[in-house]
Amino acid sequence: MDNRQAIGSWISGPRAAAEDMGVEFGYRGERLGLPEEGPGSIARPGRRLAALFIDWALCMLIAYGLLSGGRPQAASNWALVVFAVLSLLTVGTVGFTPGKRLLGLRVVAEDGGRVSLPRVILRTVLLVVIIPAVIWDRDGRGLHDRLARSVQVRI
């Protein structure tokens, strides 16, 4: 292997290096039996991050207005609690948070059904910890979704 190839594989990552060697990964969600595009396909990262931003902004407004007594420092701590409660209640009942609904996303179980309450609790706890949410698999699911056996799809 030439040094330029080694540097290129380091910069572009192991997936790009494997694809250069002829490995076929398929599209995101193929292993889960989901369509490549349209309703029911894996939600793209940009939409998921935008939905998270909308939900976080809503939680900050609720925390600042109702719980923190007008103290900005306390609002961020309360916002995390509000975010956890919002996620538990909305994903556990209807399958989406307000931000996800606005952007046309839904959280479903890997088999396509509703996510059970224990899985919603596990997913929410892991999401609040943040670290599992930034570790993704090759289908684009965060570790919190993978461990809870759930997936975010387009509506």
Side-chain angles (χ1 to χ4, degrees), residues 27-117:
Y27 63 88
R28 294 180 190 269
E30 183 175 18
R31 294 181 311 148
L32 300 170
L34 300 174
E36 186 172 4
E37 293 292 326
S41 65
I42 294 269
R44 300 283 182 227
R47 265 192 186 179
R48 293 186 348 219
L49 289 173
L52 180 65
F53 179 77
I54 291 168
D55 291 334
W56 185 253
L58 177 65
C59 292
M60 283 295 289
L61 283 171
I62 292 169
Y64 184 76
L66 300 177
L67 301 170
S68 71
R71 293 172 296 162
Q73 295 83 7
S76 61
N77 293 332
W78 280 111
L80 196 58
V81 173
V82 171
F83 182 80
V85 170
L86 176 78
S87 183
L88 280 171
L89 292 177
T90 59
V91 173
T93 56
V94 292
F96 47 76
T97 61
K100 287 184 188 353
R101 181 64 184 125
L102 283 173
L103 294 175
L105 306 177
R106 174 178 231 124
V107 179
V108 297
E110 286 178 341
D111 62 6
R114 285 188 54 215
V115 182
S116 66
L117 186 59

